[in-house]
Amino acid sequence: MSDCIFCKIAQGTIPSEIAYEDDELIAFKDIQPLAPVHLVIIPKIHLRSLNDVKPENEGLIGHLFGVIKRLAEEFGVAESGYRVVTNTGTDGGQVVGHLHFHLIGGQALNARIG
Ligand code: 5GP
Ligand code: ZN
């Protein structure tokens, strides 16, 4: 989508600190990190949120979680622990309308949700 920030990051037209990339996915450092490790992992195709995921995208989402697991190891938080979050819609706190997953760790996180 032409006016989508994350599509532009996926296309390389907006620079980002890329942690991982393949044909289907890209992972980059969040511009306003909430913790020492804060990556954003997105599919390259424009899906607005988890609500847009269809059965044909489920292989992609499975692949994405495999990549998240490997990034947690690579960034040294697999053993200490981390959180994976996808904010969905207004009440979910989603700001960028392109499906994305936050990988957050590197410190003890507040257990409270919301
Ligand atoms: P949301 O609230 O939609 O789940 O999270 C969007 C995330 O994207 C936020 O944590 C925000 O800091 C991050 N973000 C927004 N714009 C950019 C950008 O241009 N570059 C990077 N690297 N992160 C961004
Ligand atoms: Zn997009």
Side-chain angles (χ1 to χ4, degrees), residues 20 25-27 37 39-42 61-75 77-78 82-86 100-104:
Y20 174 84
L25 308 176
I26 187 164
V37 175
L39 302 176
V40 178
I41 302 92
I42 66 169
I61 300 302
H63 172 50
L64 186 146
F65 269 88
V67 167
I68 288 175
K69 182 203 161 202
R70 290 198 293 280
L71 284 168
E73 291 165 358
E74 191 180 319
F75 279 78
V77 296
Y82 57 93
R83 187 170 292 161
V84 179
V85 174
T86 182
H100 57 279
F101 295 79
H102 298 261
L103 166 56
I104 303 165

Side-chain angles (χ1 to χ4, degrees), residues 84-101:
V84 179
V85 174
T86 182
N87 297 326
T88 304
T90 307
D91 283 0
Q94 183 177 9
V95 174
V96 178
H98 180 129
L99 176 64
H100 57 279
F101 295 79

